[in-house]
Amino acid sequence: MKSLLAASLLLSLGSCASGPGEFIHRPEERIAWPAHELSPRVSVLFAYHGSNDAVRNPGFWSRLGDWVVGEDVHRIGSPYGMCLLELGSESEPDPVLVIADTGLGMIHLLSLITCEHRMISGTEEFPLVTPVGAAALPGGRFCISDSTTGRIGIFNSDGEFVQPFAQTYELGRPTGLAWDDIGQRLLVVDTIGGRILAFNVDGELSAQVGIPGEEPGEFNHPTNLAVSAEGRVFVMDSLNFRVQVLNADLTPAWDFGLVGTGPGSFAKPKGIALDSEGHVYVVDAMFGNIQVFDQRGTLLLAFCESGNSLGSLSLPAGLLIDGTDRIFVADMGNSRIQVFQYHSIQP
């Protein structure tokens, strides 16, 4: 009887909006860097392991549905790539964080307003084995790269698979993705091929650069990339232990970085992102920290250390910075997303 009631109720649940929620795993005292300054540049906001780390305020029908069919507890496994879908309206925005989970072979959709957490599995046409990269596309869609199958798929804002992307091209091992809004193209890292590929929105190849190597325009197992406000492409050239900067036409511009264990060097660099002021953030999985550079490679700040407490990281991987300079870190070894805030200091 209860299952019959659930079936009839679920038909109406999708149209019932949830109210604002709250992420509850927050520091009791300020955790910030530089720690001794009254006006720090970066501070901890919250960490999120799964739906138990949030208090939702669902509408009546959602609460009734949870009572009838039970409330699922969703947890993050090994997060990597992330992107942000700017959904909702201008008056009622509903940004949704998309997380590629390499460990679970799933996609997470997490509303940053309602705290609703959904998990998406692959389809027969597009199985998810090792989803690693994520990028938001125009029109509320997003794409996911799977490094094991060597494919990229497009999904709609509900997490439904729409179609494969660039399926006529041999992608090797696609990993990092970034949508270039200036060039209206999707940039794809092929880690094994040591190259960066650019596709238009229809999946047609428009440009590419790179072969395995150490010279400018060559890459050694690149992993991730980010696009600046000026259209330059910042590539995490991981096993060359450098950030390689490309012009908008993908020709080499400059690079910075070296292998080492001291400040400003790299040991196991992974994610890369830029904030609203153009600072370059690099995640290092070996150090368990994030280093912040200017665009020419001068070290400005390092924050976090290895560990499992708030403000610490374990094998961090993916990195995302949104339009309000919130810094989302895929804290892979801790099976969570940790969120920080960059604070601009105006003269």
Side-chain angles (χ1 to χ4, degrees):
M1 179 66 180
K2 190 174 182 179
S3 61
L4 291 176
L5 177 61
S8 61
L9 286 174
L10 287 174
L11 293 176
S12 57
L13 294 182
S15 61
C16 302
S18 299
E22 181 183 4
F23 296 103
I24 61 176
H25 199 46
R26 298 174 179 270
E28 295 181 0
E29 299 180 352
R30 188 187 78 168
I31 303 174
W33 298 265
H36 62 277
E37 294 191 6
L38 293 177
S39 300
R41 306 310 298 267
V42 174
S43 61
V44 176
L45 293 181
F46 63 90
Y48 182 82
H49 302 79
S51 52
N52 284 340
D53 286 345
V55 175
R56 292 173 54 220
N57 184 22
F60 169 78
W61 289 109
S62 295
R63 292 196 300 272
L64 184 58
D66 290 341
W67 175 79
V68 173
V69 300
E71 184 176 3
D72 290 333
V73 175
H74 297 321
R75 294 194 62 83
I76 293 172
S78 299
Y80 199 108
M82 296 171 288
C83 68
L84 194 64
L85 302 182
E86 300 289 354
L87 304 180
S89 63
E90 186 174 346
S91 59
E92 295 184 0
D94 185 18
V96 172
L97 183 67
V98 178
I99 306 164
D101 193 324
T102 63
L104 299 181
M106 303 281 285
I107 302 167
H108 304 269
L109 300 181
L110 175 63
S111 168
L112 300 180
I113 300 297
T114 67
C115 301
E116 179 186 3
H117 183 169
R118 290 179 289 154
M119 296 179 66
I120 309 300
S121 57
T123 66
E124 183 176 351
E125 186 178 2
F126 191 80
L128 291 172
V129 182
T130 313
V132 60
L137 299 175
R141 301 179 303 164
F142 65 93
C143 55
I144 296 290
S145 62
D146 192 297
S147 63
T148 296
T149 64
R151 300 179 65 194
I152 298 173
I154 296 178
F155 297 76
N156 64 23
S157 59
D158 292 323
E160 299 167 335
F161 175 71
V162 176
Q163 65 188 59
F165 185 84
Q167 63 177 337
T168 60
Y169 297 91
E170 178 62 48
L171 297 178
R173 184 181 293 174
T175 51
L177 305 175
W179 174 254
D180 176 8
D181 199 48
I182 296 176
Q184 290 293 293
R185 59 186 182 175
L186 180 70
L187 299 171
V188 179
V189 175
D190 178 359
T191 295
I192 292 298
R195 59 182 179 162
I196 309 300
L197 302 98
F199 296 91
N200 65 23
V201 72
D202 296 321
E204 299 171 344
L205 184 67
S206 59
Q208 65 174 313
V209 62
I211 58 173
E214 301 177 353
E215 298 300 317
E218 299 177 351
F219 304 93
N220 187 357
H221 286 73
T223 51
N224 297 284
L225 75 173
V227 184
S228 74
E230 299 77 26
R232 293 193 180 95
V233 182
F234 288 71
V235 182
M236 195 65 257
D237 191 3
S238 292
L239 292 189
N240 279 327
F241 304 98
R242 66 183 179 185
V243 173
Q244 192 164 175
V245 185
L246 308 177
N247 296 310
D249 62 359
L250 301 188
T251 57
W254 66 85
D255 62 73
F256 64 86
L258 72 164
V259 61
T261 57
S265 61
F266 301 131
K268 197 172 183 180
K270 293 285 188 179
I272 186 169
L274 284 80
D275 66 21
S276 64
E277 296 180 359
H279 304 127
V280 183
Y281 295 62
V282 176
V283 169
D284 199 298
M286 186 68 71
F287 299 153
N289 76 354
I290 299 171
Q291 298 184 90
V292 186
F293 302 85
D294 68 17
Q295 293 198 5
R296 290 288 175 171
T298 300
L299 180 65
L300 304 175
L301 176 70
F303 62 98
C304 294
E305 59 183 13
S306 293
N308 56 20
S309 61
L310 277 173
S312 300
L313 302 170
S314 175
L315 300 176
L319 185 63
L320 166 70
I321 301 179
D322 72 4
T324 63
D325 284 331
R326 287 181 297 186
I327 306 160
F328 298 79
V329 184
D331 193 0
M332 182 181 285
N334 288 320
S335 298
R336 66 184 180 184
I337 301 297
Q338 198 161 178
V339 186
F340 304 80
Q341 179 70 57
Y342 168 69
H343 304 280
S344 177
I345 299 178
Q346 301 297 330

